[in-house]
Amino acid sequence: MCRWAAYRGMPIPLEQIVSAPGHSLIEQSHHATEAKTATNGDGFGIAWYGEHPEPGRYRDVLPAWSDCNLKSLARQIRSPLFLAHVRASTGGATSRDNCHPFVNGKWSFMHNGQIAGFEKIRRPMEAALCDRLYQARQGTTDSELLFLLALEFGLETDPAAAFAQAIRFALSEAARAGVRELVRFTAAFSDGETLHAIRYSNDAQAPTLYSAPTCNNQGHCLVSEPFKDTDTKWHEIPAGSFVTLTAGGISSARFDPAQTDAVKVAEVA
Amino acid sequence: MCRWAAYRGMPIPLEQIVSAPGHSLIEQSHHATEAKTATNGDGFGIAWYGEHPEPGRYRDVLPAWSDCNLKSLARQIRSPLFLAHVRASTGGATSRDNCHPFVNGKWSFMHNGQIAGFEKIRRPMEAALCDRLYQARQGTTDSELLFLLALEFGLETDPAAAFAQAIRFALSEAARAGVRELVRFTAAFSDGETLHAIRYSNDAQAPTLYSAPTCNNQGHCLVSEPFKDTDTKWHEIPAGSFVTLTAGGISSARFDPAQTDAVKVAEVA
Amino acid sequence: MCRWAAYRGMPIPLEQIVSAPGHSLIEQSHHATEAKTATNGDGFGIAWYGEHPEPGRYRDVLPAWSDCNLKSLARQIRSPLFLAHVRASTGGATSRDNCHPFVNGKWSFMHNGQIAGFEKIRRPMEAALCDRLYQARQGTTDSELLFLLALEFGLETDPAAAFAQAIRFALSEAARAGVRELVRFTAAFSDGETLHAIRYSNDAQAPTLYSAPTCNNQGHCLVSEPFKDTDTKWHEIPAGSFVTLTAGGISSARFDPAQTDAVKVAEVA
Amino acid sequence: MCRWAAYRGMPIPLEQIVSAPGHSLIEQSHHATEAKTATNGDGFGIAWYGEHPEPGRYRDVLPAWSDCNLKSLARQIRSPLFLAHVRASTGGATSRDNCHPFVNGKWSFMHNGQIAGFEKIRRPMEAALCDRLYQARQGTTDSELLFLLALEFGLETDPAAAFAQAIRFALSEAARAGVRELVRFTAAFSDGETLHAIRYSNDAQAPTLYSAPTCNNQGHCLVSEPFKDTDTKWHEIPAGSFVTLTAGGISSARFDPAQTDAVKVAEVA
């Protein structure tokens, strides 16, 4: 289980989310309180949008708490939309290529959760990719593969449907392989304009997700765990949600991959 | 293009091959003279056999010349059979998982060379692996995949035929994909008992390979480039060779993957 | 606060202490139970004695739990005397040069504890070193400097007196600098023949230390925390102890740096 | 010997200097042509000025050519004043703390060159630092120490005089220690407003330094070696020069540490 935070709004220095608050993401890399594991020390990464369509990215294999580069970058880089992640591996080596966020063209993606028995269904999942996305694989994680499958299944045109199909695909391949059918999936992703998040599990333990207006209402923050500052009003996103952050604000819809049309009645949060 | 060295004989400290001679492997990581690139600074690795059937292994992403761990390990570890490699990437990130030697069970393998257009034929090469070997992939290099294919094609029972089939497979898939049919392959591998090496290319530029008795005739050494000590009598292995080192000495046979029975008339060197 | 383990006895694979037991040192790198911090993820190191007077050493900056090299080395390397350490930094960057064990000639040393206000007294501590030891500094930790000071103060001839003098020196310089006079010091060190350990603090919180016969009485183990196997009879070493392990067994004496003759009435444990 | 590049002018993406030109700094990390060593693979670093008085910094121990983070950062970060460095160690481990640029408050500094016999005179050089700068040491290089000495000797008020005094100090301590009196020093440094460079050696081999207007005359570039683009008019800075880049353009003065007033007759280049 990992921890992550994402932001969309007026441009702010990354450190306001990554390292400054009382219970920042870096703090959570040491002492997560709502995760299965308190320590998230198997690497980290940030992806942020600036002048280019594709995001910048910095990933490394050290624990976030001891990386002096991350501290300096988070202080200097200002962005209106960014993702930050600290990793606790559920499998896969501690290498840069296995660190989130994953990036493909203009898209960025990060994930907290897991696919049970991933090794048994990795093969059909990879087989479902077109040649271009097959060649785009860099690491060995279930997370990267769910992201590539979503790209395969139409992330560009319908993000909720694409991830719903990717999750359905993993569950059906797990059934076929005779392993436990379990996908826990709390993720954030963006094309540089809109920031999306999903909180989902097909059991009762969807990894937590919270949202709050932040930085004097200049933007919104989505996080695995609330920061410890007392001023921010955190709102827990219920399991089975698809969250959308645009210039117009935050909205949430029901997310249920078991339904072919994954996203139901949209409702403004 | 990379540089490597392998040894079989009486147990010696690894440093006698890795770091001590005038033109040791570490020296070659800085100043290779017979390679396309003089610098081999994209990681390194050693695999050695000791008490266990499977070899020990140490790999890292720094250049070999600046790794203080390697220097200490090479001085302390004594082995009768070991492989050492310095990497110059022809593709694939600089990560531990992409560093040679690759290991699978008791087998170790390292490679100097390349498959032209690998990205275009990676998919059918991976598809040819059984589930167990498919799951065993850790990095993203053509080298690791040739090793896994050889395991798939019977490395255990007929090493020369297995690598010949792996190379034929790559060449035929290149033809099918419409990319240049080129495999350059100078490699060493072992099961902990016998040390094998192959020098092969389907063009006229097979990466170099030399052998020599070493350490007062206590063992034999196979290397990409001769060391600069004046006493050792280096013998250039011709292209199209399959070399075998056992307790009984060194022998060489013709290696021609274009023939179904890859290894012809064995001749003692 | 860090965690460490040391062994002296019949040669055993390092993994029997480093990675195999239920609550091994690698397990403690994740979940220490008697330390101020549960996570010891700021690098690790091992030093072991083999054929040479000086020990071999492997250190790296990743958490011990995610380092595949460490696992392989601990399985392959067999030694009659070794030290292993997982680090939780109290200051000083996460770099190889700041990872324990520290080595100087045949001596190895590792430490759990701290000097309060070290930055304020580092200068006079370094000034007390002879030119040779001044040049031997590689990192920036209080631990390395205490080791070098002990070498300066006669570690070769009287280890207990040398460390007592080093600790007295640090305390008196703290007094002179007007900072809190506090040295917590639970350490192990060796010349390749004898294994020593000290448990000391000038307040009431000396970091824990335990000993036990291990590996079917083939040797003795000294550890920050007992392993979780049920068979081993762990003995807590009291604060203010100087422990000595030789071929003849384990003995313990009182260690009180406040006394000029640091080690009093030796008693066999 | 290292290679470096520095820029001052209209804000540009770092990649225009670091990675884009035909013979960029990253290219030079592989194939320097005017250096003693062609390979500069012992780490790298960038420091750039943005919204804060102190610069941002990213350093790592991999060769620059294989670091995917550097490529992404150089593409995303835009700055009016930055320094970039690829390292070929003349001593000192390959650690982040030994990688240039060094930073202290608002000042940044990088260096190509060496002090002969540095280990013999490191002690008096460190002793000359005030307590604050003594505590600011992070690595073990001669370069960092020359920078700290310049801060000690008045970098804030008279940069040329401060570095002249630092070099004189090193030379006189070398004389006192009986080692070869040799300082080769081609360096760049900045306070975030002005960019300075020095080319100096007390023998005839001052490491090379070139300047050119760049990016359609939007700024000036200072480099160890000219890039391979044909359009830029490179000007070789003569040995014994102190270069100053401000909003008003570039100027150069004579730099001779042997004279107490180091900088003579300023002349606009």
Side-chain angles (χ1 to χ4, degrees):
Chain A
M1 297 308 233
C2 311
R3 301 285 87 180
W4 58 252
Y7 171 86
R8 190 193 188 290
M10 297 294 292
I12 59 169
L14 274 56
E15 68 176 353
Q16 292 194 19
I17 303 297
V18 171
S19 51
H23 194 57
S24 70
L25 191 65
I26 283 185
E27 172 68 13
Q28 291 182 26
S29 72
H30 239 145
H31 303 296
T33 55
E34 299 194 23
K36 278 167 58 182
T37 53
T39 303
N40 295 271
D42 299 328
F44 66 88
I46 51 175
W48 70 96
Y49 292 89
E51 303 176 18
H52 301 283
E54 83 274 13
R57 183 167 57 168
Y58 173 59
R59 303 188 289 185
D60 212 347
V61 294
L62 287 171
W65 66 77
S66 64
D67 189 77
C68 50
N69 287 323
L70 176 60
K71 195 174 168 190
S72 183
L73 292 167
R75 178 159 169 75
Q76 297 285 342
I77 297 171
R78 185 182 282 270
S79 168
L81 204 171
F82 57 87
L83 287 66
H85 187 274
V86 292
R87 181 167 179 251
S89 174
T90 57
T94 299
S95 70
R96 286 187 180 177
D97 285 334
N98 283 346
C99 287
H100 309 224
F102 301 100
V103 167
N104 191 285
K106 70 183 178 184
W107 288 93
S108 57
F109 169 83
M110 63 184 173
H111 173 223
N112 172 21
Q114 66 183 118
I115 302 175
F118 169 59
E119 281 305 314
K120 297 287 186 190
I121 60 173
R122 186 177 168 193
R123 185 173 198 132
M125 291 176 72
E126 295 191 339
L129 299 174
C130 68
D131 283 351
R132 183 182 66 81
L133 293 169
Y134 192 89
Q135 290 176 24
R137 295 168 306 151
Q138 294 186 299
T140 58
T141 63
D142 51 0
S143 303
E144 183 188 20
L145 202 41
L146 283 170
F147 173 44
L148 293 174
L149 277 176
L151 285 163
E152 180 71 36
F153 295 153
L155 179 58
E156 191 73 40
T157 50
D158 188 341
F163 273 109
Q165 188 175 348
I167 290 168
R168 273 200 310 275
F169 186 86
L171 290 170
S172 70
E173 291 299 329
R176 186 193 312 263
V179 297
R180 183 179 175 202
E181 297 163 52
L182 174 61
V183 172
R184 291 192 184 128
F185 186 82
T186 296
F189 52 96
S190 178
D191 62 356
E193 295 293 330
T194 303
L195 174 63
H196 292 291
I198 291 172
R199 182 185 180 193
Y200 170 76
S201 178
N202 70 326
D203 70 357
Q205 298 176 49
T208 53
L209 178 62
Y210 296 83
S211 73
T214 188
C215 300
N216 299 320
N217 289 314
Q218 290 186 300
H220 266 85
C221 197
L222 295 164
V223 296
S224 299
E225 295 183 19
F227 299 151
K228 274 187 183 148
D229 53 344
T230 50
D231 298 338
T232 310
K233 301 273 182 249
W234 293 101
H235 166 69
E236 182 175 358
I237 309 286
S241 295
F242 184 88
V243 179
T244 301
L245 267 164
T246 66
I250 186 169
S251 64
S252 183
R254 196 161 151 262
F255 179 79
D256 182 2
Q259 307 296 323
T260 307
D261 47 344
V263 178
K264 300 302 183 88
V265 198
E267 44 177 315
V268 175
Chain B
M1 299 306 235
C2 312
R3 302 282 88 180
W4 59 251
Y7 172 86
R8 191 192 187 290
M10 297 294 291
I12 59 169
L14 273 58
E15 69 176 352
Q16 292 195 18
I17 303 298
V18 171
S19 51
H23 195 56
S24 71
L25 192 65
I26 285 184
E27 171 70 13
Q28 291 182 25
S29 73
H30 240 144
H31 302 296
T33 54
E34 299 194 22
K36 277 168 60 182
T37 52
T39 303
N40 294 271
D42 300 328
F44 66 88
I46 50 175
W48 69 97
Y49 292 89
E51 303 175 18
H52 301 283
E54 83 274 14
R57 183 168 56 169
Y58 174 59
R59 302 188 290 184
D60 212 346
V61 295
L62 288 172
W65 67 77
S66 64
D67 189 75
C68 49
N69 287 323
L70 176 60
K71 195 174 167 190
S72 184
L73 292 167
R75 177 160 170 74
Q76 297 285 341
I77 297 172
R78 184 183 282 271
S79 169
L81 204 172
F82 57 88
L83 287 66
H85 187 274
V86 292
R87 182 167 179 251
S89 173
T90 57
T94 299
S95 70
R96 285 187 181 177
D97 285 335
N98 282 346
C99 288
H100 309 223
F102 301 100
V103 167
N104 191 284
K106 69 183 178 183
W107 288 94
S108 57
F109 168 82
M110 62 184 175
H111 174 222
N112 172 21
Q114 65 183 117
I115 302 176
F118 169 60
E119 280 306 313
K120 298 287 185 190
I121 60 171
R122 185 177 167 192
R123 185 175 198 131
M125 290 176 73
E126 295 190 340
L129 298 175
C130 69
D131 283 352
R132 183 182 67 81
L133 293 170
Y134 192 89
Q135 290 176 26
R137 295 167 305 151
Q138 293 186 302
T140 57
T141 62
D142 51 0
S143 302
E144 183 189 19
L145 203 40
L146 283 170
F147 174 45
L148 293 173
L149 278 176
L151 284 163
E152 180 71 36
F153 294 153
L155 179 58
E156 192 73 40
T157 49
D158 188 339
F163 273 109
Q165 188 175 349
I167 290 168
R168 273 199 308 275
F169 187 86
L171 290 170
S172 70
E173 291 299 329
R176 186 194 312 264
V179 296
R180 183 181 175 201
E181 298 162 52
L182 174 61
V183 172
R184 291 192 185 130
F185 186 81
T186 296
F189 51 97
S190 178
D191 61 358
E193 295 293 331
T194 303
L195 174 61
H196 292 291
I198 291 172
R199 183 185 178 191
Y200 171 77
S201 177
N202 71 326
D203 71 357
Q205 298 176 48
T208 52
L209 178 62
Y210 296 82
S211 73
T214 188
C215 299
N216 299 319
N217 288 315
Q218 290 186 300
H220 266 85
C221 196
L222 294 165
V223 297
S224 299
E225 294 184 19
F227 299 152
K228 273 188 185 150
D229 52 344
T230 47
D231 297 338
T232 311
K233 302 273 181 250
W234 294 99
H235 167 69
E236 183 174 357
I237 309 285
S241 296
F242 184 87
V243 179
T244 301
L245 265 164
T246 65
I250 187 170
S251 64
S252 183
R254 194 158 153 264
F255 179 79
D256 182 2
Q259 308 296 322
T260 308
D261 47 345
V263 179
K264 299 302 183 85
V265 199
E267 44 178 315
V268 175
Chain C
M1 299 306 236
C2 312
R3 303 281 89 180
W4 58 252
Y7 172 85
R8 190 192 187 290
M10 298 295 291
I12 59 170
L14 272 57
E15 70 176 350
Q16 292 195 18
I17 303 298
V18 171
S19 52
H23 195 56
S24 70
L25 191 65
I26 284 184
E27 172 69 13
Q28 291 182 26
S29 74
H30 240 144
H31 302 297
T33 55
E34 299 194 21
K36 279 168 58 182
T37 52
T39 303
N40 295 271
D42 299 328
F44 66 87
I46 50 174
W48 69 96
Y49 292 90
E51 302 176 18
H52 300 282
E54 83 274 14
R57 183 167 57 170
Y58 173 58
R59 303 188 291 185
D60 212 347
V61 295
L62 288 171
W65 67 75
S66 65
D67 189 77
C68 49
N69 287 323
L70 176 60
K71 196 175 167 189
S72 183
L73 292 169
R75 178 160 170 73
Q76 297 285 342
I77 297 172
R78 184 183 281 270
S79 168
L81 204 172
F82 57 88
L83 286 67
H85 188 274
V86 292
R87 181 167 179 250
S89 173
T90 58
T94 298
S95 70
R96 286 188 180 176
D97 285 334
N98 282 346
C99 288
H100 308 224
F102 300 100
V103 166
N104 191 282
K106 69 182 178 183
W107 288 94
S108 57
F109 169 83
M110 63 184 173
H111 174 222
N112 173 20
Q114 65 182 120
I115 302 175
F118 168 60
E119 281 306 313
K120 297 288 185 188
I121 61 172
R122 184 177 168 192
R123 185 176 197 128
M125 290 176 72
E126 295 190 340
L129 299 174
C130 69
D131 283 352
R132 183 182 66 82
L133 293 170
Y134 193 90
Q135 290 176 24
R137 294 167 306 150
Q138 294 186 300
T140 58
T141 64
D142 51 1
S143 303
E144 183 189 20
L145 202 41
L146 283 170
F147 173 44
L148 293 174
L149 277 176
L151 284 163
E152 179 71 36
F153 295 154
L155 180 58
E156 191 73 40
T157 49
D158 188 340
F163 273 109
Q165 188 175 349
I167 290 168
R168 273 199 309 276
F169 186 86
L171 291 170
S172 70
E173 290 299 329
R176 188 194 310 264
V179 297
R180 183 179 176 203
E181 297 162 50
L182 174 62
V183 172
R184 291 191 184 129
F185 186 81
T186 295
F189 50 97
S190 178
D191 61 357
E193 295 293 331
T194 303
L195 174 62
H196 293 291
I198 291 173
R199 182 183 180 194
Y200 170 77
S201 177
N202 70 326
D203 70 357
Q205 299 177 48
T208 53
L209 178 62
Y210 296 83
S211 73
T214 189
C215 300
N216 300 319
N217 289 315
Q218 291 185 299
H220 266 85
C221 197
L222 295 166
V223 297
S224 299
E225 294 183 20
F227 299 153
K228 274 187 184 151
D229 52 346
T230 49
D231 298 337
T232 311
K233 303 274 181 250
W234 293 99
H235 166 68
E236 182 173 358
I237 309 285
S241 295
F242 184 87
V243 180
T244 301
L245 266 164
T246 66
I250 187 170
S251 65
S252 183
R254 196 160 150 262
F255 179 78
D256 182 1
Q259 307 296 324
T260 307
D261 47 345
V263 179
K264 299 304 182 84
V265 198
E267 44 178 315
V268 176
Chain D
M1 299 308 236
C2 311
R3 302 282 87 180
W4 58 252
Y7 171 86
R8 191 192 187 290
M10 297 296 290
I12 60 169
L14 273 55
E15 69 176 353
Q16 292 195 19
I17 303 298
V18 171
S19 51
H23 193 56
S24 71
L25 191 65
I26 284 184
E27 172 70 13
Q28 290 181 26
S29 73
H30 239 144
H31 303 296
T33 54
E34 299 194 23
K36 277 168 58 182
T37 52
T39 304
N40 295 271
D42 300 328
F44 66 87
I46 51 175
W48 69 97
Y49 292 90
E51 302 176 17
H52 301 282
E54 82 274 13
R57 183 169 56 170
Y58 173 58
R59 301 188 292 184
D60 212 346
V61 295
L62 288 171
W65 66 77
S66 64
D67 189 77
C68 49
N69 287 323
L70 176 60
K71 195 174 168 189
S72 183
L73 292 168
R75 177 157 171 77
Q76 297 285 341
I77 297 172
R78 185 183 282 270
S79 169
L81 203 172
F82 56 89
L83 287 66
H85 187 273
V86 292
R87 182 169 178 250
S89 172
T90 57
T94 299
S95 70
R96 285 186 180 178
D97 285 334
N98 283 346
C99 288
H100 310 224
F102 300 100
V103 167
N104 191 285
K106 70 183 178 183
W107 288 94
S108 57
F109 169 82
M110 63 184 172
H111 174 223
N112 172 21
Q114 66 183 118
I115 302 175
F118 168 60
E119 281 305 313
K120 298 286 186 190
I121 60 173
R122 185 175 167 194
R123 185 173 198 133
M125 290 176 73
E126 296 190 339
L129 299 173
C130 69
D131 283 352
R132 184 182 67 80
L133 292 170
Y134 192 89
Q135 290 176 25
R137 294 168 306 152
Q138 294 186 301
T140 58
T141 62
D142 50 0
S143 302
E144 183 188 21
L145 202 41
L146 282 170
F147 174 44
L148 293 173
L149 277 176
L151 285 162
E152 180 70 38
F153 294 153
L155 180 58
E156 192 72 41
T157 49
D158 188 340
F163 273 109
Q165 187 175 350
I167 290 168
R168 273 200 308 275
F169 187 86
L171 290 170
S172 70
E173 290 299 330
R176 187 193 311 264
V179 297
R180 182 178 175 203
E181 297 163 53
L182 174 61
V183 172
R184 291 191 184 129
F185 186 82
T186 296
F189 51 97
S190 178
D191 61 357
E193 295 293 331
T194 303
L195 174 62
H196 292 291
I198 291 173
R199 182 184 180 193
Y200 170 77
S201 178
N202 70 327
D203 70 359
Q205 298 177 48
T208 53
L209 178 62
Y210 295 83
S211 74
T214 188
C215 300
N216 300 320
N217 288 316
Q218 290 185 301
H220 266 85
C221 198
L222 295 165
V223 297
S224 299
E225 293 183 20
F227 299 153
K228 275 189 183 148
D229 53 343
T230 48
D231 297 338
T232 311
K233 301 273 181 251
W234 293 98
H235 166 69
E236 182 175 357
I237 309 286
S241 295
F242 183 88
V243 179
T244 301
L245 266 164
T246 67
I250 187 169
S251 65
S252 184
R254 196 161 150 260
F255 179 78
D256 181 1
Q259 308 296 324
T260 308
D261 47 344
V263 180
K264 300 302 183 88
V265 200
E267 43 177 319
V268 175

